[in-house]
């Protein structure tokens, strides 16, 4: 299609055209931005896309070519339609976009460029953020209700146990493209708020090699080597990466090793790829710290250690066969293995029972509670009977858990583009299966905390690593989980006219989850136990349409439904009487309802000519999503010291609007996005909280209209880059968000977490055709800000820096100014 602006120029006509040609995904901006380049002027007397030839006296025309974008309508990339006929919001990023500040980063690209996205970080490790899109979350941390689906090469990336997405396992430099898609139920379970669809590089799309080395602040060292080669019908691609970061806080560090390899073959009609992903990561995060302690020492941690270590392997294969001119077959299959070990040192759960018949023992939470027991039901002795000068006994608890998962599955899909009564049509239909076998174990140990650093240790004279805590129905835990997810989907886009396109489709989901307790029966545990079977199913329809108001301006709207079955992790921790920590200990479980989200969306996207020979792309989107039987992680009224449980809380409304615009010219570009997000509870419920606003029983009451914690109402992102010379480019990007309520303040009674503004500077210089220097300054104004807030219990942990702290507000502090530099060498 051709977008033309006709302008009077003397007696003749000056015709400006934006010519759109067919292409694969190639938009460098998040909202489907185009690239620009001047085209040769049309000779006099030739046509310029109109029925009238240009007069001989016309001034030379100028046109700017923008590639069309193909949007994948399912997780498998081979299925796609033109973005102008797709009725849902979508944001597209290429490999170049992922290098937002030098080295590639999926999470930072979404944070700094994607509309509607903000990050929170409860663990205070830069490689463990929770991504929130339009109020729906996806996180690498157990205990987070997951509302976004993630796919890599057409294969589900959410892990079977808790649907978590572990970003450190994904080699960012090997990503070819990423889309953030909204309102498409074809992406299966957990696509409540949308899906992140990632495609990796291969030897057919990436040729040659590149070595990258960089480093800088916080003892950061990064290295990456990638190489792709095609020899006839066979191609190979490999990527090796390693990251070490010492961190800007005490006990904060990251060590990550990644490998990705792809072997591909293609013939005249068919293609086959086999790929392997391996990763090993050890991430230490100091977590949240009470604000009074942060003010005294911003680098400190509250309690430790806090470590998550992952070993990961994934073998995948994809096959595509062009059966006929209009019909193709796609097949993907995979096997994955994950071993995750979590070590978490906390304040005491068990404290001296106090004067009386049990004074020689520890009680759960202190005096007046049941005596804490160890192996065989024996009471745990009061092994640190002498308090310090401030009245603290120095007790601590170590939580350890191991998740060992084998995942497997695949999809088979047919794509057909046969015209219907002469009208262009794109039909996609498929079946999917995702299975998992997980063995989960958890244990808690009573020991001590060091006075100065509050790190768990084993005091002399007690078993190593401490007294094993035996609480019936909670810990220790040893359980086997099997889950099987089945899906059948169909989507069809029909071009009714050259302006109107209609999309209809849907997906039918079945989830079958079985938990089997491996521990012997405990007569002291609650009735019901951990063993159980859970079955869910739901049909999710979608319908939408697009209409071309102008050749390069599209109006779109849609309605869709999506569902999420409770994960095994949520089902195993659904009782307030037997709650669990975020280490995800198991307990007896009442059944949870599945979440169903119904979403309306509408918007406009388009392009036009801008100033200084640039092209302006723009989009305006509105969304209205109601989640029925939403699941939240609430603090338990029976175990208020860091323990909680999952439960259905009724309806939650997420609505808002995104605006995006970008200018692209030969030597510069600029972008801006603004997002308005309203995420509110629509049902009332009572929750335990450490908030000062809680009543005498420690309860807060959430009312309809209260905002969800962690979600700012306003997000602004903008940036630009400029070629100072053909070899030297400078740029900046900035993002800002308004305040958000703390986790634990769902009733919105306390002062919210402050908003913030962050500015980053970038530069790169092409030293030789093969050698490039790049640099970045993150948070150039050295702003102190916090990207997560909650409440901590008071009175259980001695803090030498601030022994009399009395403010339960607890923050995760973000990184200060950081300077990084590196080189890329083409091989």
């Amino acid at each position: 299609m051709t977008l033309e602006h006709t302008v009077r120029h003397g007696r003749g006509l000056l015709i400006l055209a934006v010519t759109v040609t067919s292409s694969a995904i190639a938009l460098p901006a998040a909202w489907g931005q185009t690239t620009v380049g001047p085209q040769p002027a049309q000779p006099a007397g030739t046509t310029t896309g109109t029925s009238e030839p240009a007069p001989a006296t016309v001034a030379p025309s100028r046109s700017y070519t923008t590639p069309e974008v193909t949007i994948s309508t399912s997780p498998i990339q081979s299925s796609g339609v033109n973005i102008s006929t797709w009725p849902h919001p979508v944001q597209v990023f290429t490999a170049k976009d992922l290098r937002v500040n030098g080295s590639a980063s999926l999470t930072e690209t979404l944070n700094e460029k994607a509309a509607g996205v903000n990050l929170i970080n409860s663990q205070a490790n830069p490689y463990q953020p929770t991504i929130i899109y339009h109020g729906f979350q996806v996180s690498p941390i157990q205990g987070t209700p997951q509302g976004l689906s993630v796919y890599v090469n057409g294969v589900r990336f959410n892990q079977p146990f808790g649907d978590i997405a572990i970003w450190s396992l994904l080699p960012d430099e090997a990503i070819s493209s990423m889309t953030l898609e909204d309102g498409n139920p074809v992406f299966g379970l957990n696509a409540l708020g949308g899906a992140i669809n990632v495609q990796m590089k291969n030897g057919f799309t990436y040729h040659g090699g590149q070595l990258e080395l960089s480093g800088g602040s916080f003892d950061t060292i990064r290295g990456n080597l990638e190489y792709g080669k095609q020899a006839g019908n066979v191609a190979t691609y490999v990527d090796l990466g390693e990251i070490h970061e010492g961190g800007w806080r005490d006990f904060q560090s990251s060590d990550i090793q990644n490998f990705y390899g792809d072997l591909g073959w293609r013939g005249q009609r068919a293609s086959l790829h086999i790929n392997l992903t391996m990763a090993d990561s050890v991430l230490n995060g100091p977590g949240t710290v009470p604000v009074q302690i942060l003010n005294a020492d911003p680098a400190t941690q509250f309690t430790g250690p806090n470590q998550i270590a992952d070993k990961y392997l994934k073998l995948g294969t994809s096959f595509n066969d062009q059966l006929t001119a209009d019909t193709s077959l796609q097949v993907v299959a995979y096997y994955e293995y994950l071993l995750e070990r979590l070590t978490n040192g906390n304040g005491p759960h068990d404290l001296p029972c106090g004067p009386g018949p049990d004074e020689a023992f520890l009680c759960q939470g202190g005096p007046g509670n049941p005596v804490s027991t160890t192996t065989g039901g024996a009471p745990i002795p009061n092994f640190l009977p002498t308090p310090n000068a401030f009245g603290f006994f120095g007790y601590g608890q170590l939580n350890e858990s191991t998740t060992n998962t084998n995942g497997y599955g695949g999809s088979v899909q047919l794509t057909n583009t046969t015209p219907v009564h002469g009208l262009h049509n794109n039909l996609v239909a498929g079946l999917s299966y995702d299975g998992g076998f997980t063995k989960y174990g958890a244990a808690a140990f009573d020991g001590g905390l060091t006075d100065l650093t509050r790190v768990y240790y084993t005091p002399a004279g007690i078993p190593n690593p401490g007294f094993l805590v035996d609480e019936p129905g909670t810990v220790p835990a040893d359980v086997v989980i099997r889950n099987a997810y089945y899906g059948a989907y169909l989507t069809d886009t029909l071009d009714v006219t050259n302006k109107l396109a209609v999309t209809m489709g849907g997906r039918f989901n079945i989830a079958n989850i079985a938990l089997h307790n491996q521990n012997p029966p405990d007569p002291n545990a609650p009735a019901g136990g951990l063993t159980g079977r859970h079955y869910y199913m739901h049909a999710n329809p979608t319908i939408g349409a697009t209409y071309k108001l102008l050749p390069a301006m599209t109006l779109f709207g849609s309605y869709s439904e999506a569902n999420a079955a409770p994960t095994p992790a949520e089902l195993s921790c659904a009782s307030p009487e037997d709650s669990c920590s975020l280490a995800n200990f198991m307990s007896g479980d009442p059944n949870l309802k599945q979440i169903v989200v119904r979403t309306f969306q509408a918007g406009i996207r388009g392009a036009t000519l801008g100033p200084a020979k640039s092209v302006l792309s723009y989009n305006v989107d509105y969304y209205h999503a109601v989640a029925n039987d939403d699941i939240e992680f609430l603090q338990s009224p029976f175990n208020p010291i860091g323990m909680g449980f999952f439960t259905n809380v009724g309806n939650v409304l997420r609505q808002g609007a995104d605006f995006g615009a970008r200018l692209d010219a030969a030597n510069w570009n600029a972008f801006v996005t603004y997002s308005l997000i309203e995420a509110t509870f629509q049902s009332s419920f009572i929750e335990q909280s450490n908030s000062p606003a809680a009543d005498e029983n420690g309860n807060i009451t959430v009312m309809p209209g209260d905002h969800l914690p962690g979600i700012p109402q306003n997000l602004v992102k903008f940036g630009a880059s400029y070629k100072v010379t053909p070899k030297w480019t400078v740029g900046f990007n900035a993002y800002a968000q308004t305040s958000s309520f703390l986790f634990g303040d769902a009733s919105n009674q306390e002062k919210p977490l402050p908003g913030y503004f962050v500015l980053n500077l970038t530069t790169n210089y092409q030293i030789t055709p093969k050698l490039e220097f790049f640099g970045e300054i993150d948070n150039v104004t050295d702003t102190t800000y916090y990207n997560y807030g909650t409440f901590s219990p008071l009175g259980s942990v001695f803090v030498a820096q601030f022994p009399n702290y009395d403010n339960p507000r607890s923050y995760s502090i973000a990184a200060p100014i950081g300077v990084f530099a590196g080189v890329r060498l083409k091989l």
Side-chain angles (χ1 to χ4, degrees), residues 351-707:
L351 290 168
C353 295
D358 298 325
E359 63 180 339
F361 306 112
L362 299 183
C363 285
Q364 298 176 25
N369 294 306
V371 173
S372 303
T373 55
T374 185
T375 307
I380 298 177
N382 182 5
F383 55 89
L384 294 174
T386 305
N388 63 16
F390 294 92
F392 290 89
F393 287 89
Y395 284 104
Q397 188 170 94
L398 181 70
N399 299 325
E400 293 185 339
S401 66
T402 301
T403 306
N404 192 327
T405 296
N406 290 270
Y408 37 82
S411 302
V412 58
Q413 174 179 286
L414 281 174
T415 302
N416 181 271
T417 57
T418 302
V420 176
H421 300 295
L423 303 175
H424 182 269
N425 188 66
N426 185 286
L427 173 68
V428 175
L431 300 171
S432 70
Y433 169 78
D434 296 281
F437 177 86
T438 300
K439 183 174 176 57
Y440 179 88
F445 302 90
D446 279 346
L449 290 180
T450 58
D451 286 339
L452 294 178
T453 57
R454 298 167 300 284
V455 175
Y456 179 89
Y457 75 101
T458 306
I462 72 170
N464 186 44
F467 283 102
L468 177 65
V469 178
D470 186 2
E471 295 182 0
T474 305
V475 289
D478 187 5
V479 62
V480 168
I481 304 108
R482 296 180 183 272
N483 51 320
Y485 302 140
Y486 305 87
Y489 59 87
L490 181 146
T491 178
D492 184 82
T493 300
L494 175 68
D495 292 349
V496 179
T497 70
N498 60 355
K499 291 185 176 183
L500 175 66
V502 175
T503 297
M504 298 182 66
R507 180 180 174 114
F508 183 71
N509 291 322
I510 297 176
N512 196 345
I513 304 166
L515 294 86
H516 304 277
N517 191 3
Q518 302 301 292
N519 286 330
D522 189 337
N524 298 316
L530 186 58
T531 298
R533 291 184 177 274
H534 308 268
Y535 182 83
Y536 302 91
M537 64 179 180
H538 198 266
N540 300 312
T542 182
I543 184 170
T546 62
Y547 187 81
K548 294 180 182 178
L549 300 174
L550 295 172
M553 176 189 289
T554 301
L555 173 69
F556 65 88
S558 63
Y559 168 79
S560 63
E561 295 184 11
N563 79 298
T567 68
E570 292 167 348
L571 289 168
S572 65
C573 181
S575 169
E577 289 85 0
D578 291 285
S579 53
C580 56
S581 74
L582 289 182
N584 217 29
F585 292 168
M586 298 293 183
S587 64
D589 58 301
N591 200 24
L592 293 174
K593 300 177 183 178
Q594 64 181 333
I595 306 172
V596 178
V597 174
R598 295 171 174 85
T599 302
F600 292 92
Q601 298 169 319
I604 295 176
R605 64 171 73 97
T608 187
L609 288 173
K613 300 182 180 180
S614 64
V615 169
L616 170 67
S617 295
Y618 55 88
N619 73 285
V620 181
D621 307 328
Y622 168 77
Y623 61 94
H624 181 281
V626 176
N628 302 116
D629 299 314
D630 206 23
I631 294 176
E632 296 289 334
F633 187 80
L634 305 183
Q635 185 170 301
S636 170
F638 302 98
N639 292 298
I641 305 178
M643 308 293 277
F645 68 103
F646 293 94
T647 187
N648 296 106
V649 297
N651 295 347
V652 174
L653 170 65
R654 297 168 175 91
Q655 65 178 346
D658 296 322
F659 164 79
R662 177 159 175 162
L663 280 169
D664 272 289
N667 294 321
W668 60 275
N669 65 66
F671 76 92
V672 61
T673 72
Y674 168 73
S675 299
L676 172 66
I677 306 171
E678 289 282 347
T680 56
F681 296 103
Q682 299 297 296
S683 303
S684 60
F685 59 92
I686 297 175
E687 174 188 4
Q688 275 275 315
S689 175
N690 291 312
S691 167
D695 62 21
E696 64 274 9
N697 297 316
N699 292 324
I700 59 173
T701 300
V702 180
M703 301 298 293
D706 287 337
H707 289 80

Side-chain angles (χ1 to χ4, degrees), residues 87-155:
H88 306 288
V90 61
Q91 303 181 56
V92 184
F93 303 88
T94 65
K96 182 179 179 181
D97 296 318
L98 265 65
R99 288 180 176 156
V100 59
N101 285 341
S103 299
S105 173
L106 179 149
T107 56
E108 283 305 308
T109 300
L110 291 173
N111 186 40
E112 299 179 19
K113 288 189 174 182
V117 172
N118 70 291
L119 302 188
I120 59 174
N121 200 321
S122 62
Q123 302 302 299
N125 183 287
Y127 301 97
Q128 292 177 298
T130 294
I131 294 172
I132 304 180
Y133 176 56
H134 291 167
F136 293 93
Q137 301 180 85
V138 62
S139 174
I141 305 302
Q142 300 286 9
T144 305
Q146 310 288 340
L148 295 172
S149 188
V150 183
Y151 284 82
V152 178
N153 282 350
V155 168

Side-chain angles (χ1 to χ4, degrees), residues 182-268:
D182 202 346
N184 186 356
V186 169
F187 281 84
L189 291 170
N190 293 101
L192 303 176
I196 300 172
N197 195 12
V198 176
Q199 292 296 315
M200 308 299 283
K201 297 175 183 176
N202 61 64
F204 293 116
T205 60
Y206 184 92
H207 296 161
Q210 181 172 272
L211 174 65
E212 179 181 309
L213 296 172
S214 65
S217 300
F218 321 129
D219 298 325
T220 300
I221 301 173
R222 300 187 186 107
N224 194 85
L225 173 65
E226 61 179 334
Y227 185 78
K229 183 176 177 60
Q230 178 181 350
N233 292 338
V234 178
T236 185
Y237 172 84
V238 293
D239 178 87
L240 287 164
E242 181 156 2
I243 299 172
H244 168 77
E245 187 171 299
W248 61 89
R249 292 178 59 186
D250 298 337
F251 306 101
Q252 182 187 54
S253 65
S254 306
D255 288 282
I256 303 171
Q257 295 85 38
N258 294 107
F259 169 83
Y260 177 78
D262 181 272
L263 178 63
W265 167 87
R266 66 183 181 187
Q268 290 184 343

